[in-house]
């Protein structure tokens, strides 16, 4: 499988990119992937998405080592739940150690574990964002009021997780993407009459395969949108796209 990634600061953001992404080996044939979008209205919003992302990277490394030593495999759904539980536990520890406020821990999250051998994946979306599975779009939109993970650090985990409805199981995929809601913010600031639709942008970035032989496939596409069509992304954007080369 080939994994493409891109992370861009939006034109309307001046200091920091508040999005973040994770692509980490969590088992021999499994990847932990995630895209995160810090809340602009939060305090130093870049901090939350980076913090969650770095915690997830460390969890993946530890899980990889644990499975290597034990030589045991864990069901994808159960593993995803374990990772989210660890993320919350470790975030709570850091929150207490640093005296952080909830407003400093607001970020959306699409997190998934992908079996790269069997083309299966399990996802949980906390807040908003987009999943594209072989051209099928699964959009989570919460009217600009995402239910951030930071709001639920004190909840009973089992009850909270059971009540999460933004879960998605994927099997036998050929082309799978996750992205933050920045994908909906491409604008032609020079000629509004030539503005591409959201579906055209999604098709170009998440479905079209032109130039997929390049490792910087997605970066090239975003650059071409700007250079050839005058379309720039106005909000931050993070995309991870996984192509099953055996099927293409």
């Amino acid at each position: 499988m080939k994994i493409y990634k891109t992370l861009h600061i939006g034109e309307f953001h001046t200091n920091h990119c508040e999005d973040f992404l994770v692509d980490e080996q969590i088992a021999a044939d499994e990847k932990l992937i995630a895209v995160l979008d810090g809340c602009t209205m939060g305090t130093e919003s870049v901090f939350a998405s980076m913090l969650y992302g770095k915690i997830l990277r460390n969890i993946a490394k530890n899980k990889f080592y644990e499975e290597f030593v034990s030589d045991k495999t864990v069901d994808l759904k159960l593993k995803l739940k374990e990772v989210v539980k660890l993320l919350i536990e470790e975030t709570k520890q850091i929150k207490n150690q640093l005296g952080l406020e909830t407003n400093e821990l607001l970020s959306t999250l699409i997190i998934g574990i992908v079996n790269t051998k069997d083309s299966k994946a399990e996802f949980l979306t906390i807040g908003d964002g987009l999943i594209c599975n072989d051209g099928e779009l699964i959009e989570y939109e919460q009217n600009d009021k995402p239910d951030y993970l930071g709001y639920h650090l004190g909840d009973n985990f089992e009850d909270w997780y059971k009540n999460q409805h933004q879960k998605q199981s994927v099997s036998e995929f050929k082309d799978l993407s996750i992205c933050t809601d920045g994908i909906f913010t491409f604008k032609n600031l020079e000629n509004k009459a030539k503005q591409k639709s959201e579906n055209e942008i999604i098709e170009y970035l998440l479905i079209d395969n032109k130039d997929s032989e390049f490792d910087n496939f997605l970066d090239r596409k975003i650059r071409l949108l700007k250079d050839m069509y005058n379309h720039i992304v106005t909000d931050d954007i993070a995309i991870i796209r996984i192509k099953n080369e055996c099927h293409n």
Side-chain angles (χ1 to χ4, degrees):
M1 287 192 179
K2 193 77 179 275
I3 299 181
Y4 306 94
K5 299 170 285 187
T6 191
L7 181 65
H8 279 265
I9 186 170
E11 186 72 13
F12 294 166
H13 286 187
T14 54
N15 295 322
H16 304 286
C17 178
E18 297 166 0
D19 286 11
F20 200 76
L21 57 79
V22 177
D23 165 28
E24 196 75 41
Q25 204 77 30
I26 194 169
D29 297 310
E30 294 172 4
K31 285 273 191 176
L32 173 67
I33 63 172
V35 291
L36 305 98
D37 179 6
C39 171
T40 302
M41 301 305 292
T43 304
E44 294 147 355
S45 51
V46 63
F47 173 77
S49 57
M50 290 183 71
L51 175 65
Y52 290 136
K54 290 181 180 294
I55 292 173
L56 286 172
R57 284 177 178 170
N58 191 53
I59 290 171
K61 290 173 183 175
N62 291 335
K63 285 283 184 186
F64 183 90
Y65 178 74
E66 288 172 11
E67 288 201 22
F68 178 77
V69 171
S70 66
D71 198 29
K72 293 181 181 179
T73 57
V74 181
D75 173 76
L76 286 187
K77 282 187 178 181
L78 179 59
K79 185 177 292 186
L80 179 61
K81 181 180 177 182
E82 289 176 352
V83 168
V84 175
K85 185 176 183 180
L86 283 170
L87 172 62
I88 289 176
E89 289 175 351
E90 294 190 24
T91 300
K92 285 165 67 174
Q93 290 180 7
I94 293 171
K95 181 178 186 286
N96 292 333
Q97 288 170 350
L98 299 182
L100 300 174
E101 300 293 336
T102 298
N103 210 42
E104 297 176 90
L105 294 168
L106 303 183
S107 176
T108 66
L109 169 65
I110 300 180
I111 181 172
I113 298 180
V114 181
N115 186 307
T116 55
K117 183 179 180 181
D118 297 335
S119 299
K120 295 179 180 179
E122 292 292 335
F123 290 102
L124 171 67
T125 300
I126 303 167
D128 48 27
L130 180 69
I131 299 173
C132 181
N133 176 24
D134 292 332
E136 178 190 356
L137 303 180
I138 303 115
E139 181 186 354
Y140 297 106
E141 205 282 321
Q142 299 184 336
N143 299 315
D144 291 326
K145 295 181 180 179
D147 188 23
Y148 297 110
L149 181 64
Y151 292 149
H152 301 284
L153 299 179
D155 292 358
N156 177 280
F157 176 77
E158 293 297 331
D159 292 340
W160 172 81
Y161 197 84
K162 182 175 64 177
N163 290 323
Q164 294 308 296
H165 302 300
Q166 297 187 161
K167 296 173 183 172
Q168 191 71 32
S169 298
V170 174
S171 60
E172 298 182 352
F173 69 85
K174 300 174 185 177
D175 197 335
L176 180 64
S177 300
I178 59 174
C179 60
T180 57
D181 64 358
I183 198 166
F184 302 114
T185 69
F186 280 86
K187 302 294 182 188
N188 187 332
L189 299 180
E190 294 185 10
N191 188 343
K192 293 183 179 180
K194 293 185 177 181
Q195 172 71 42
K196 290 184 177 294
S197 68
E198 289 181 356
N199 285 339
E200 287 176 304
I201 297 293
I202 291 169
E203 165 81 27
Y204 183 63
L205 291 174
L206 307 186
I207 299 172
D208 179 70
N209 291 314
K210 189 176 185 299
D211 295 331
S212 62
E213 67 270 22
F214 296 103
D215 290 339
N216 63 343
F217 172 52
L218 291 174
D219 289 326
R220 289 170 66 93
K221 282 182 167 293
I222 290 178
R223 188 164 61 247
L224 282 171
L225 279 170
K226 180 179 181 180
D227 294 344
M228 292 183 63
Y229 303 105
N230 295 319
H231 279 63
I232 58 175
V233 62
T234 57
D235 190 12
D236 304 331
I237 186 172
I239 305 174
I240 297 176
R241 182 172 172 184
I242 304 177
K243 288 176 60 62
N244 188 340
E245 296 176 311
C246 296
H247 289 87
N248 289 282

